[in-house]
Amino acid sequence: MVGITSFGAFVPRYRLSRMTVFMNMGWFNPVTMGVAQGEKAVANFDEDSITMAVSASLDCLKGRDRSQIDALYLASTSLPYRERQNAGIVATALDLKPGIRTADLTDCTKAGTSAMLAGLDNVKANGGNVLVASADCRLGRMGSLQEQVYGDAGAAVLLGSENVIAEFQGAYSLTYDFVDHYRSEDMQFDRSWEDRWVREQGYGQIIGEAVMGFLKKTKLPLDGFNKVIFNCPFTREHQAIAKKGKIAPDRLQANLFEQIGDAGAAQPLVMLAAALETSKPGDKLLLVGYGNGADALAFEVTPEIEKVRDRKGVKGHLAKRADLTAYTKYCVFRNLLPVDVQIRGEIEPPTSVTALWRNRRAVMAYVGSKCKKCGTPAYPPQAVCPNPKCKSMDEMEAYPFADKKGTIFSYTADMLAASIDPPAIYGIVDFEGGGRASIDFTDCTLEDVKVGLPVELSFRRKFVDHVRGISGYFWKAVPIVK
Amino acid sequence: MADGIKDKVAIVGMGCTTFGERWDKGPEDLMVESFKEALQDSGVDPKDIGAAWLGTCFEEIGVGKSAIPLSATLKLPFTPVSRVENFCASGTEAFRGAVYAVASGACKIALAMGVEKLKDIGYGGLPDFGAAMGTRARLISANMTAPGGFAMMATRYFAKYGLTPEQGKTAMAKISVKSHKNGAKNPKAHLRREVTVEQVLNAPVIAWPLGLFDCCGVSDGSACALVTTPEIAKSLRKDPVLVKALQIAGTSGEELATQSWDGAHVETTVQASRRAYAEAGIKNPREEISMMEVHDCFSITELATYEDLGISERGKAPNDINDGFYELTGKIPCQPDGGLKCFGHPIGASGLRMIYEMYKQLQGKAGERQIKNPRYGLTHNLGGFPASSVCSVAIVGL
């Protein structure tokens, strides 16, 4: 049996009300009122598609032995690097073994489902376990329809042949050079064609054609599916497409437009994760990924689903939210408006990739050291044991901290430190089992932070080196506020 | 224990510039200014200086690397010169080099020069630490500044001793109020205005819970000392000041790498001061120390230092502050010259500036700040952050 063996999702904490966007930019483009419902999920200033893919993967890999992962496919249309494999960064952050196959699948919003198909083929051909991670963080111009529609999120699925939670039933793919939107080499923003055409000829035609092709190929009946999962950010069109296929509203998976928005390549996987969260053994799911054609995939949920109920998933992340009340803050976070970082903020020491390579497990996977003689763990990794009674030299083994529970030992909120989101909140965290680190905090306010509060670690962008065009990634502590 | 440095070396002359925003003076000018005063004070001829040490921290925006700027600016005649740097403890580090040179017999007279030109960077606070902490730190350190690094000790202190933010901030505010009162009496101080507890409490927050008045002045300045043997010193002047102890302690890394440190004190201060008391033969510092200049980069640092030096009991510094114990009129006046808080903090010069005040007080030349019959003056110069520090403690006396 081949299929999904685990899943996870990530929705960034900040939500931007579409009415807030409209109040700021509606003067310029009044027709955006038509989509100004609900809110969109917005990546924090220290998040991008890579960090959100890591966060979703961590949710998916909870309790799993990561040494058993044989391949990682990363799907996104907004990957930070054009050359330097983004999947390789995700694999390093997850501390996967180096002996794995990785690939970035990108350039269209069906890349998420295409990555799943590639992963399923891989499992069928080679066995093993394939992690498919997806995330998108797309930009619309200020005042555009895309600005309102696009939302940021990630999702991940683990594919394999043991303990399958949703068995793969078959697939059908369709490819058209349907240019509803595009972004070429030098463009920062997507350029979209008239949305009436996109709705009718794009979503309206192509999704239906992919489903028909799938049904014909697999000879499965459409009314046999408990949930049909496809995205169309235009909610009325989404429902109209379902109606045309005689899919009752309770069998149509919600598009999450009013909670997240359109998370591009990740959206079908986010919606699949949401469907899996409420599914029962025996449920049949039809998943369609749309974009320059479409992929249709079918799954049947197994009793193993009961063993992965502890995922934070879409539901858990939607519950953990904070309003991004200022539209300008969103614009500054996404680098849409220049902000005065002052002279301190302009200082960018050179980024050394040799140092990064040497320290890759410490920096990217938050792996410290543990003394083989006395068991003292420490971060960053030490050569000499810091235990005053031990001080053994070169007797260390790798000790991962990223999954350890931490508590706040001390903290501050620093207005002097250069930050795009002042004050810079940081502190010292003590880890369960030993070890202590001075670390930046994120996804919190000063009011949230207290000595003794638990934290969990999250992979984030630490700095952007504008001069050399490279970002530094690292881990931050997220206070767990009840 | 080794013999130690007690009474082996004397300070024969000192100089200290006015600290502040010395927009019209470069670091070279500042070195000349303090050096000139030290020569006049001591009667030493520059050609008799056998070796010299330069303490400066942010050389990139100051004099530049090496000790060449020292010898070339002062036109020292091919004298042995070295530059030392130990973050904010760099000034005392230069002093240590000079004192040890004389004690070893390697030279008869040595110069310790500290200088820092901070106000050429164009923004408030110290220069950014981004590149100063090493290549790996760039990849993994928190986005930390000096006030933030010390503010964490304040949140920790409040938590450990059960102080509300109001109680904690008020105790710290009184420290700053005291230093402003002293600084106002000092013509060489950077900040010379008295402030009230209310002003301190209502100032903008720099790094919670530290507000603007919890932070020391960021200044340009220079201070220097000429040291020699007690015999030569007595031939040059009647009131040389003797070095009674000079200790330094660097972190063992335990504070941040294990969970043993409580975060509410600075362990290197404890270690360096205990060794200094032993070296000077001091049994009970609360009774025997007459006055001190401590590293009050932030009010919380001064508060913790009272306890770390073994003068206030653990958790009881706020009581001593309330009792006026550290006021100019108190049992052990602390920061009689205004401290880093008001005299200002040109990094490399600060350790020597502290010794300068003790020197002047011991000689009875501190004007309206004069402390009655001082015997032992203690200076405490801290580099780095509470979690990872290097600390110098010096004790001087007649």
Side-chain angles (χ1 to χ4, degrees), chain B residues 112-256:
Chain B
M113 169 65 74
V115 68
E116 206 80 35
K117 177 73 196 173
L118 292 174
K119 296 310 296 178
D120 274 350
I121 55 173
Y123 54 93
L126 292 182
D128 192 73
F129 285 116
M133 307 293 281
T135 309
R136 189 173 70 172
R138 160 88 163 141
L139 301 172
I140 65 172
S141 281
N143 182 18
M144 200 170 19
T145 65
F150 283 86
M152 289 190 280
M153 181 158 70
T155 53
R156 189 69 205 160
Y157 189 95
F158 296 0
K160 177 165 178 171
Y161 297 109
L163 302 182
T164 63
E166 292 69 29
Q167 290 170 326
K169 276 181 74 75
T170 304
M172 297 191 304
K174 288 176 181 169
I175 291 174
S176 298
V177 169
K178 174 264 300 160
S179 295
H180 273 267
K181 208 192 285 173
N182 297 350
K185 295 189 171 82
N186 190 338
K188 284 188 172 180
H190 182 170
L191 305 168
R192 301 201 56 203
R193 225 178 293 172
E194 293 197 30
V195 295
T196 64
V197 170
E198 290 66 37
Q199 273 176 295
V200 177
L201 292 176
N202 293 329
V205 170
I206 301 298
W208 173 260
L210 305 179
L212 182 65
F213 289 111
D214 291 301
C215 306
C216 71
V218 175
S219 332
D220 305 326
S222 165
C224 67
L226 286 161
V227 294
T228 186
T229 63
E231 296 72 34
I232 296 172
K234 282 196 187 99
S235 73
L236 286 166
R237 68 185 311 148
K238 63 174 185 358
D239 55 357
V241 167
L242 293 167
V243 179
K244 302 291 180 182
L246 187 46
Q247 288 292 333
I248 181 164
T251 177
S252 70
E254 283 163 58
E255 296 98 315
L256 208 46

Side-chain angles (χ1 to χ4, degrees), chain B residues 298-318:
Chain B
F298 303 97
S299 54
I300 184 62
T301 326
E302 183 168 334
L303 189 153
T305 301
Y306 294 154
E307 300 178 7
D308 294 340
L309 291 174
I311 292 172
S312 291
E313 278 176 53
R314 287 278 169 224
K316 299 282 196 270

